[in-house]
Amino acid sequence: IKGDFLFQDLSFKTLSKCTSVCLQACMHSLWCFTVTGNDSCEYLLSSGRFLGEKVWQPHSCMMHKYKISEAKNCLVDKHIAFIGDSRIRQLFYSFVKIINPQFKEEGNKHENIPFEDKIASVKVDFLWHPEVNGSMKQCIKVWTEDSVAKPHVIVAGAATWSIKIHNGSNEALSQYKVNITSIAPLLEKLAKTSDVYWVLQDPVYEDLLSENRKMITNEKIDAYNEAAVSILNSSTRNSKSSVKMFSVSKLIAQETIMESLDGLHLPESSRETSAMILMNVYCNKILKPVDGSCCQPRPPLTLIQKLAACFFTFSIIGYLIFCIIHHNAHRKNKPCTDLESGEEKKNIINTPVSSLEILLQSFCKLGLIMAYFYMCDRANLFMKENKFYTHSSFFIPIIYILVLGVFYNENTKETKVLNREQTDEWKGWMQLVILIYHISGASTFLPVYMHIRVLVAAYLFQTGYGHFSYFWIKGDFGIHRVCQVLFRLNFLVVVLCIVMDRPYQFYYFVPLVTVWFIIIYVTLALWPQIIQKKANGNCLWHFGLLLKLAFLLLCICFLAYSQGAFEKIFSLWPLSKCFELKGNVYEWWFRWRLDRYVVFHGMLFAFIYLALQKRQVLSEGKGEPLFSNRISNFLLFISVVSFLTYSIWASSCKNKAECNELHPSVSVVQILAFILIRNIPGYARSVYSSFFAWFGKISLELFICQYHIWLAADTRGILVLIPGNPMLNIIVSTFIFVCVAHEISRITNDLAQIIIPKDTSSLLKRLACIAAFFCGLLILSSIQDKSRH
């Protein structure tokens, strides 16, 4: 069975239909789920699971880990009050330590504890009320008076002292119900202007309880919790006028109470998780962190997004009208039966598909796909979860795709070094590894991170190699070629910037390859234009080209070590609109600098390889080693040693910053080693993996689409289409993701043929229209930014 059986001979129409059915099923089920009351805040407060030690995952959303500065920024001029027993006091301490990690747990435990950060104007109080009684009621009642300043957040809870003091008697439970019934109206009144949370009691570890606490059993705790829930009416959905049940700490305690020192109080890590949940509940709607989807409202549509929605809607309507007209015309021209002869006569011959139909069809499909993108990552319709890295989550899928890639192999059409099939294969397996790296969260594991940096560098190496080879051999510096490449690279990203309201620099790899393509073009197109045909007649032209490359290297070094000059260039308007991220171009400088030499290395490799090829130094026949046996074996040995040496260095790397400094200079070692290992043996050069090559042809679309329909929250989380079944979810979301990427690749190719015509005069008119479009986009963007500020 060949790879083409799976990927090329299989009709993509079937895949598209299956995708469409999956999308509709997922959207319908999730719509029903949402309508019936999906509330990420409610899930954050009530459900979740541990992904690993100390890593808590809410049921349907992502939880942000707040830093000190973020917490202070959110809680400025705020007053938070914790009321209850020793367990609430623990929660108070953990909450305060998010704001001030140096705050110590000291003083009399059975009294009120104040905390205030005067610089940030944050006030957090713990009020000692271990029982739900008249004392707690009086404290809460004072806040209901109009003349008294009310806390912005109130966290209350108590029960274990009532069980302990009254020896777990049923009379104590009855009195608890009476007391909480009298407090409930006061809490409901406060909940209209403040956020009020009632903390349900965590389970205990009965084997560790001291003798004077043995009466505090999990059975009694459950009874008190049931009373609190029923009386405080937690079923109400109106979060602005009800007390919210903080029940998630029970689930956390069930997993961690065994680590308790006394069987009653939770370990510190569990308290920190509960405090961070409280911070997410209150602050996510204020600061709107990207990786904190819990409790965040759907962002409002921008003016540009509304215009894009109108455009795609009109495109869909236009295509439907076109189809109806075409269908009616087809019916009128159906073959009719001649009554005399009894034979059918055809009135019309099938006409080729018009450019207008292709254009409308492409924008229609693109509009539906973009609607799916928006619903996945902006509309809060689909669930999102945090990543959690384990070695098995990264390496097992790597082994699996490697086996598939080796199994589906075919003979290459040509056996030249880095032929088209081989480069597609290279892009394909690299892209699959990068995808697994992203979804598994492997960036936290430094050796994997350093190897992935090499794969990104290898993409840029191919950019330098491929474009240099084309210009050097073809000598085609025409505007059509430039426009085709720029359109192919940027079309999807521009559409996503509009639809998803993201800056161009957010999709950092596309700006990177775009800028490097322009640099390669300018370097070779500027006078004197030196191409292979000219250089063959006079060897001095080779020296001239080397001078051009040396000047390029000099410019790269200058910009790499002159951050000020780099930022001045790319901070100029309108370049700043493309390369700024969060108000500055530092991120762009960092990304560019990280792989600053590898494109130059790709160009230099292409020059040397093509020069050797022209002089017939290489043996590129089928099954032949690239050099003589002795030289081939020597180069193979050197390549394997170099490859392993880099891997050992990357695996022993201790500091990401230091390794990133060395990476631009040494990444080429592993890239060249791989090229030689892959191409020196003739048998290796004669075969390729059709499995990897298929993915390589859509590698750009896969890289970009993953941001929104496979990952979530701008790559910081994972999209969840099927809750509760991670494996099935990955299978379904991956299938849809790959099909959509393939379809977008086809749409881009179809539109490129229409929007970028070969006729120069037509092309110039189209470029004028594109320039006008971007000018309008810049104006609308400026208006949009002013309205936001």
Side-chain angles (χ1 to χ4, degrees), residues 326 330 333 346-352:
H326 182 76
H330 180 72
N333 293 289
K346 291 185 179 181
N347 296 330
I348 194 167
I349 299 172
N350 288 334
T351 56

mmCIF file of all heavy atoms in Angstrom, residues 326 330 333 346-352:
data_model
loop_
_atom_site.group_PDB
_atom_site.id
_atom_site.type_symbol
_atom_site.label_atom_id
_atom_site.label_comp_id
_atom_site.label_asym_id
_atom_site.label_seq_id
_atom_site.Cartn_x
_atom_site.Cartn_y
_atom_site.Cartn_z
ATOM 1 N N HIS A 326 -27.020 29.434 -12.228
ATOM 2 C CA HIS A 326 -26.325 28.410 -13.021
ATOM 3 C C HIS A 326 -27.167 27.123 -13.094
ATOM 4 O O HIS A 326 -27.265 26.486 -14.141
ATOM 5 C CB HIS A 326 -24.969 28.118 -12.396
ATOM 6 C CG HIS A 326 -24.155 27.123 -13.163
ATOM 7 N ND1 HIS A 326 -23.506 27.442 -14.332
ATOM 8 C CD2 HIS A 326 -23.884 25.802 -12.917
ATOM 9 C CE1 HIS A 326 -22.871 26.360 -14.782
ATOM 10 N NE2 HIS A 326 -23.087 25.357 -13.942
ATOM 11 N N HIS A 330 -28.821 25.448 -16.362
ATOM 12 C CA HIS A 330 -28.499 24.047 -16.679
ATOM 13 C C HIS A 330 -29.781 23.245 -16.919
ATOM 14 O O HIS A 330 -29.841 22.402 -17.818
ATOM 15 C CB HIS A 330 -27.692 23.442 -15.529
ATOM 16 C CG HIS A 330 -27.318 21.999 -15.760
ATOM 17 N ND1 HIS A 330 -26.371 21.635 -16.683
ATOM 18 C CD2 HIS A 330 -27.786 20.849 -15.205
ATOM 19 C CE1 HIS A 330 -26.257 20.313 -16.690
ATOM 20 N NE2 HIS A 330 -27.105 19.816 -15.785
ATOM 21 N N ASN A 333 -31.234 23.914 -20.309
ATOM 22 C CA ASN A 333 -30.447 23.340 -21.389
ATOM 23 C C ASN A 333 -30.232 21.836 -21.233
ATOM 24 O O ASN A 333 -29.288 21.277 -21.777
ATOM 25 C CB ASN A 333 -29.086 24.054 -21.459
ATOM 26 C CG ASN A 333 -29.219 25.496 -21.879
ATOM 27 O OD1 ASN A 333 -29.520 25.771 -23.037
ATOM 28 N ND2 ASN A 333 -29.017 26.415 -20.955
ATOM 29 N N LYS A 346 -28.551 17.275 -27.220
ATOM 30 C CA LYS A 346 -27.924 18.198 -26.272
ATOM 31 C C LYS A 346 -27.948 19.600 -26.852
ATOM 32 O O LYS A 346 -27.551 19.818 -27.983
ATOM 33 C CB LYS A 346 -26.478 17.771 -25.985
ATOM 34 C CG LYS A 346 -26.421 16.462 -25.191
ATOM 35 C CD LYS A 346 -25.001 16.125 -24.825
ATOM 36 C CE LYS A 346 -24.932 14.832 -24.017
ATOM 37 N NZ LYS A 346 -23.565 14.497 -23.639
ATOM 38 N N ASN A 347 -28.450 20.553 -26.048
ATOM 39 C CA ASN A 347 -28.548 21.936 -26.518
ATOM 40 C C ASN A 347 -27.305 22.754 -26.191
ATOM 41 O O ASN A 347 -27.130 23.831 -26.721
ATOM 42 C CB ASN A 347 -29.771 22.615 -25.888
ATOM 43 C CG ASN A 347 -31.062 21.946 -26.327
ATOM 44 O OD1 ASN A 347 -31.131 21.420 -27.428
ATOM 45 N ND2 ASN A 347 -32.077 21.953 -25.454
ATOM 46 N N ILE A 348 -26.494 22.271 -25.214
ATOM 47 C CA ILE A 348 -25.353 23.092 -24.790
ATOM 48 C C ILE A 348 -24.185 22.195 -24.427
ATOM 49 O O ILE A 348 -24.360 21.068 -23.981
ATOM 50 C CB ILE A 348 -25.753 23.985 -23.588
ATOM 51 C CG1 ILE A 348 -24.702 25.062 -23.363
ATOM 52 C CG2 ILE A 348 -25.954 23.152 -22.321
ATOM 53 C CD1 ILE A 348 -25.171 26.137 -22.414
ATOM 54 N N ILE A 349 -23.005 22.720 -24.571
ATOM 55 C CA ILE A 349 -21.787 22.004 -24.187
ATOM 56 C C ILE A 349 -21.301 22.584 -22.865
ATOM 57 O O ILE A 349 -21.402 23.787 -22.630
ATOM 58 C CB ILE A 349 -20.701 22.168 -25.287
ATOM 59 C CG1 ILE A 349 -21.215 21.581 -26.601
ATOM 60 C CG2 ILE A 349 -19.406 21.505 -24.855
ATOM 61 C CD1 ILE A 349 -20.315 21.847 -27.773
ATOM 62 N N ASN A 350 -20.795 21.722 -21.983
ATOM 63 C CA ASN A 350 -20.302 22.192 -20.691
ATOM 64 C C ASN A 350 -19.223 23.248 -20.870
ATOM 65 O O ASN A 350 -18.248 23.041 -21.614
ATOM 66 C CB ASN A 350 -19.723 21.023 -19.881
ATOM 67 C CG ASN A 350 -20.823 20.111 -19.380
ATOM 68 O OD1 ASN A 350 -21.945 20.553 -19.198
ATOM 69 N ND2 ASN A 350 -20.476 18.847 -19.162
ATOM 70 N N THR A 351 -19.414 24.384 -20.212
ATOM 71 C CA THR A 351 -18.451 25.491 -20.300
ATOM 72 C C THR A 351 -17.479 25.417 -19.137
ATOM 73 O O THR A 351 -17.829 24.933 -18.054
ATOM 74 C CB THR A 351 -19.181 26.842 -20.264
ATOM 75 O OG1 THR A 351 -19.971 26.896 -19.072
ATOM 76 C CG2 THR A 351 -20.069 27.018 -21.465
ATOM 77 N N PRO A 352 -16.260 25.907 -19.319
ATOM 78 C CA PRO A 352 -15.299 25.891 -18.210
ATOM 79 C C PRO A 352 -15.750 26.815 -17.076
ATOM 80 O O PRO A 352 -16.509 27.745 -17.285
ATOM 81 C CB PRO A 352 -14.008 26.399 -18.872
ATOM 82 C CG PRO A 352 -14.456 27.164 -20.071
ATOM 83 C CD PRO A 352 -15.697 26.480 -20.547
#
